[in-house]
Amino acid sequence: MTRVFNVEKLLKQIVNSVRDDLRESLDMNELQNLVRETLYEKKYLLVLDDVWNEDTMKWDDLKKLLMVGAFGSKILVTTRNEAVASIMGTIPAYCLKGLSSEDCLTVFLRKAFEQGQEVLYPNLVGIASDIVQNCEGNPLLLMTLGSSLHMETNEWEWHEVKNHEMWNSKQNDNILPALKVSYERLPSNLKVCLAYCSVFPKGCVIEIDKLIQLWVAEGLVSKSNESEDLEHIGIQYFQELLSRSFFQDVEEYRSVFTSLCKLHDLVHDLALSAAGVEFCTVNSHTQIISDEARHVAFSDYDLSAAELPASLLNNQTLRTISFSVDGVGPMSTMFIENCIARFVQLRVLDISHSCFDELPRSVGELKYLRYLDINSNGSIKELPDSINKLLSLQTLRLSHCAQLEGLPKDIGNLISLRHLHITTKQTCFPDKAIGCLSSLRSLYIHSCTNLVSLSEGLQYLTSLRTLAIIGCPRLTFFPSTMKHLTALENLLIVDCEELTLLEWQDIEGLRMIRSLVIGGLPELESKDVQRLGNLQMLVLAGLPQLVALPRWLEGASATLQYLRVERCPNFAALPKWLENLIALEKLEISKCASDTLDGRDAGYTPSKEKLKGSGKLMVPSDLEPREYMIKRKGSLDVTDKVTAM
């Protein structure tokens, strides 16, 4: 599968790595000028990882923009395609070799045993020496295979892996045997969940919350008793696959809105192979689609077309329709109508990034639909009332629909709805619109520029665990009824310019909050808060008046694990009492000082020495988190990191 080489996206990533003021609305000419301005006569290192582009003209266009840097600037490209290396390289390519036998065994044993435990099982270490020979020095294969045997001490299990028939398989599907062996050792429920990941485009960043919601919608997550929560079980599934190294690049904190992850390309190939004929990518060259296909992703298929591919018309059991083109969805209402008419058993309909004006009324006929994504449709103005007939609907995503006038008045009929993301032009939400959604687990209110107040009906959302209010510049206060949100675990308040938090601590649910993100507010004041006894993560960002950490943070001294402060230009000191945060594992300070921060001057040295304060940012001498990070301002952001010994 060829990876899309999107020059515009790359240019935005380059600028974003250096500065914070990039506007989303820039046209290509403005963006090119900004890249030249950003890199002009500066010495830089640019790393382009895992490139698949074989289009010489695209690379030449990008290279011209990058030639404005100072002498000594370097561009490092990694690829698994020799043709790419030939096209992009100016010097001979350096071919990486596999790990040595000794290193292979070390990587494998680190995944198979807790630290130091391998010495208790010399026979297993001997078997491992034979197993790793089949991994050809590939770290990914070593990690997945080692993880599959984690804490397994029965020798016959190890011999079974060593003698697995996959090592001698003659199947010509390019899936490496070690990955197949690791996959075969998964429980059946995790096998289907991993296979379902084939619906995502190769190389894309995956929202973990979205992935779990899709698993739940497709019926891939099951519970043994009614008291269990499907999303929590889904998280357990994800964590188990992560522990076995099937997911990578997990970023729990880099995005304040959701945790992110990726699938390695080889694991994506494995997922495609495991899905078999049940998953199909439909493009302009697709001639035959199996009647057994259950999940279809449209790729470079004519997205303006009204007609469906002929070979798909007789499929009566399709479960998923999505679009795998980066940032592009269907453009024809008739196309959507045809999908609804043909595939009445749909569970998932992802038509995000579309540009049609209205959702067909016939959508109400999809009585099995559990997941509907219309995010980032800049044209749609209203939803049909028939959407209230979707009594099985669990997830409704309507973020970045800037022209949407409002929610249907009877949306409270969606008794199964658990996740709601909304952007509308409403000034307030009627109580019955949201207050009746008693099953709601997460509510994201995004870019509602006219919103001045939240619904008093929030008090009835007693199952709500995540509340995110983002980009609502006219919102001024929280309703007093928010004190009834006793199940709230995650609270995000970002870019609400008129919202003051003088009374926010009166939210009763604060006693359960585990993650708190506050950003883009004019000020941060409150009384002493004693209810934050479960807080594990705190992000403070874009707070121009923030000079020091709020004292209410002391209430989380036994639980806080992660603290990040970024884009707070007047933030000047870390308090002495911060050393009381005994659970703190990671501290990040990014783009806060008004002048360039130097790691030594900012007062940090390796954790076994004392951290001393001087210069712009003061650090208490006894602060010893496991990881301490300062991003310095300059031509490029440089992250200094010290890990506790």
Side-chain angles (χ1 to χ4, degrees):
M1 179 176 179
T2 302
R3 185 79 56 80
V4 175
F5 190 78
N6 189 319
V7 174
E8 181 177 1
K9 187 175 180 180
L10 280 172
L11 296 180
K12 287 182 178 180
Q13 290 175 332
I14 290 170
V15 175
N16 273 328
S17 69
V18 179
R19 52 200 298 171
D20 303 317
D21 56 352
L22 180 64
R23 291 185 290 110
E24 288 294 327
S25 57
L26 289 176
D27 62 32
M28 192 60 173
N29 287 332
E30 292 174 316
L31 186 58
Q32 290 175 346
N33 290 333
L34 191 55
V35 170
R36 293 189 186 98
E37 175 189 326
T38 300
L39 299 181
Y40 183 67
E41 294 189 349
K42 293 185 175 70
K43 190 173 181 179
Y44 65 84
L45 170 65
L46 175 64
V47 180
L48 302 177
D49 185 37
D50 199 18
V51 177
W52 288 88
N53 172 59
E54 297 184 28
D55 188 330
T56 305
M57 293 184 64
K58 284 186 177 181
W59 169 234
D60 288 342
D61 289 343
L62 177 61
K63 187 165 61 174
K64 289 175 185 176
L65 295 172
L66 302 176
M67 297 301 289
V68 299
F71 179 78
S73 296
K74 304 291 184 184
I75 302 173
L76 176 64
V77 177
T78 71
T79 181
R80 288 184 283 123
N81 187 322
E82 290 185 9
V84 173
S86 176
I87 290 170
M88 301 183 71
T90 57
I91 61 175
Y94 180 80
C95 296
L96 292 175
K97 298 178 181 179
L99 298 177
S100 67
S101 296
E102 182 179 349
D103 289 338
C104 284
L105 186 59
T106 299
V107 171
F108 184 90
L109 293 178
R110 281 180 180 175
K111 288 296 182 178
F113 293 101
E114 296 295 331
Q115 186 174 2
Q117 291 297 302
E118 65 273 13
V119 298
L120 303 177
Y121 302 97
N123 290 346
L124 298 184
V125 174
I127 301 171
S129 298
D130 294 330
I131 293 175
V132 298
Q133 300 304 314
N134 294 309
C135 294
E136 300 177 351
N138 187 313
L140 173 66
L141 306 184
L142 292 162
M143 290 190 294
T144 54
L145 204 54
S147 299
S148 73
L149 288 167
H150 182 69
M151 297 304 291
E152 178 57 68
T153 58
N154 291 321
E155 286 191 27
W156 68 268
E157 290 275 5
W158 289 64
H159 280 295
E160 186 176 77
V161 171
K162 174 186 171 182
N163 300 319
H164 201 288
E165 60 183 9
M166 287 294 182
W167 301 122
N168 300 313
S169 174
K170 302 299 183 182
Q171 295 180 26
N172 187 26
D173 56 7
N174 297 321
I175 308 301
L176 298 176
L179 278 181
K180 289 184 178 181
V181 174
S182 301
Y183 176 79
E184 288 299 323
R185 292 184 57 79
L186 287 174
S188 58
N189 58 334
L190 297 185
K191 284 182 178 179
V192 293
C193 286
L194 182 60
Y196 186 79
C197 293
S198 57
V199 303
F200 293 97
K202 181 177 285 190
C204 79
V205 176
I206 300 172
E207 293 180 31
I208 297 175
D209 286 346
K210 178 176 181 178
L211 173 62
I212 291 170
Q213 289 164 19
L214 288 169
W215 283 346
V216 172
E218 299 285 4
L220 306 183
V221 178
S222 58
K223 54 185 179 180
S224 57
N225 61 69
E226 287 303 314
S227 64
E228 292 183 306
D229 186 89
L230 289 172
E231 285 82 3
H232 281 176
I233 297 172
I235 291 172
Q236 293 172 13
Y237 285 10
F238 175 83
Q239 292 293 343
E240 181 64 25
L241 287 168
L242 175 63
S243 72
R244 295 169 182 253
S245 303
F246 287 106
F247 291 105
Q248 65 177 29
D249 297 341
V250 174
E251 298 181 350
E252 293 186 86
Y253 306 125
R254 291 266 49 91
S255 168
V256 296
F257 308 126
T258 183
S259 297
L260 307 171
C261 70
K262 287 183 179 179
L263 281 180
H264 191 282
D265 285 356
L266 296 177
V267 177
H268 191 276
D269 291 341
L270 172 68
L272 279 171
S273 175
V277 297
E278 289 195 2
F279 173 77
C280 180
T281 298
V282 178
N283 55 45
S284 56
H285 305 295
T286 304
Q287 300 296 323
I288 299 176
I289 302 173
S290 171
D291 290 340
E292 298 179 36
R294 296 293 178 267
H295 315 290
V296 168
F298 289 94
S299 181
D300 64 344
Y301 185 76
D302 184 1
L303 298 177
S304 64
E307 296 299 324
L308 291 166
S311 58
L312 193 59
L313 295 179
N314 295 325
N315 191 317
Q316 300 297 312
T317 56
L318 204 64
R319 296 292 189 267
T320 305
I321 288 181
S322 62
F323 291 79
S324 61
V325 179
D326 187 19
V328 180
M331 304 175 188
S332 166
T333 302
M334 184 61 69
F335 181 87
I336 303 301
E337 285 186 351
N338 286 339
C339 287
I340 293 170
R342 286 284 180 178
F343 313 123
V344 295
Q345 295 195 49
L346 279 179
R347 267 61 168 177
V348 171
L349 180 59
D350 186 344
I351 47 177
S352 54
H353 299 282
S354 51
C355 61
F356 51 79
D357 295 333
E358 59 181 3
L359 187 67
R361 289 185 175 86
S362 56
V363 70
E365 302 302 316
L366 297 176
K367 61 181 181 179
Y368 300 106
L369 193 67
R370 297 173 182 167
Y371 183 101
L372 177 59
D373 190 341
I374 318 177
N375 274 352
S376 302
N377 182 321
S379 302
I380 193 167
K381 295 182 177 180
E382 64 178 359
L383 298 175
D385 289 337
S386 61
I387 202 171
N388 300 321
K389 296 166 60 178
L390 300 177
L391 300 184
S392 297
L393 195 65
Q394 299 170 345
T395 300
L396 177 59
R397 291 180 169 234
L398 300 167
S399 292
H400 303 292
C401 296
Q403 300 304 314
L404 188 63
E405 296 290 342
L407 298 172
K409 62 180 180 179
D410 293 324
I411 197 171
N413 292 342
L414 300 180
I415 56 176
S416 299
L417 199 64
R418 301 166 72 89
H419 308 283
L420 176 61
H421 296 228
I422 50 176
T423 298
T424 77
K425 299 171 73 173
Q426 291 170 285
T427 57
C428 61
F429 300 120
D431 292 348
K432 292 184 178 180
I434 291 180
C436 295
L437 300 173
S438 58
S439 297
L440 212 60
R441 299 301 197 272
S442 66
L443 173 60
Y444 284 73
I445 301 172
H446 203 304
S447 302
C448 295
T449 55
N450 297 325
L451 189 68
V452 296
S453 65
L454 297 176
S455 168
E456 293 288 334
L458 285 175
Q459 63 181 304
Y460 301 112
L461 304 184
T462 54
S463 296
L464 193 68
R465 290 173 184 150
T466 297
L467 174 61
I469 305 170
I470 305 158
C472 300
R474 298 181 62 191
L475 186 66
T476 56
F477 66 93
F478 286 141
S480 60
T481 54
M482 284 186 65
K483 65 184 179 183
H484 297 292
L485 302 182
T486 55
L488 199 63
E489 296 178 354
N490 311 293
L491 177 61
L492 299 87
I493 310 166
V494 178
D495 293 337
C496 299
E497 300 161 9
E498 299 297 322
L499 183 63
T500 56
L501 298 182
L502 296 177
E503 304 297 330
W504 68 286
Q505 71 283 350
D506 290 333
I507 304 172
E508 182 68 22
L510 280 179
R511 61 187 177 84
M512 295 297 295
I513 281 183
R514 294 186 301 177
S515 64
L516 176 62
V517 177
I518 299 176
L521 304 186
E523 57 184 332
L524 179 61
E525 298 180 11
S526 73
K527 308 170 188 174
D528 290 337
V529 178
Q530 303 300 323
R531 298 194 180 109
L532 292 172
N534 289 294
L535 189 66
Q536 298 175 11
M537 168 190 140
L538 174 65
V539 176
L540 302 174
L543 302 173
Q545 302 303 317
L546 185 70
V547 176
L549 294 175
R551 289 302 300 257
W552 48 257
L553 189 56
E554 289 187 80
S557 60
T559 58
L560 190 69
Q561 299 172 13
Y562 176 82
L563 172 61
R564 182 162 105 230
V565 183
E566 67 177 34
R567 293 182 290 109
C568 298
N570 292 305
F571 183 71
L574 292 174
K576 176 69 175 177
W577 55 259
L578 197 64
E579 64 192 46
N580 297 330
L581 302 183
I582 58 176
L584 191 63
E585 296 181 358
K586 195 170 187 179
L587 168 64
E588 291 186 23
I589 303 168
S590 175
K591 303 171 186 175
C592 287
S594 58
D595 55 5
T596 300
L597 288 175
D598 179 86
R600 183 173 56 250
D601 293 340
Y604 82 89
T605 53
S607 59
K608 285 206 169 183
E609 302 175 25
K610 291 298 182 182
L611 299 176
K612 52 187 178 181
S614 62
K616 185 68 178 179
L617 182 66
M618 306 297 291
V619 181
S621 62
D622 294 328
L623 179 61
E624 293 190 3
R626 293 186 191 173
E627 292 186 6
Y628 179 92
M629 304 178 73
I630 291 182
K631 280 193 174 181
R632 305 198 302 253
K633 292 177 66 177
S635 60
L636 290 175
D637 284 339
V638 179
T639 300
D640 287 320
K641 175 177 173 180
V642 176
T643 301
M645 306 289 289

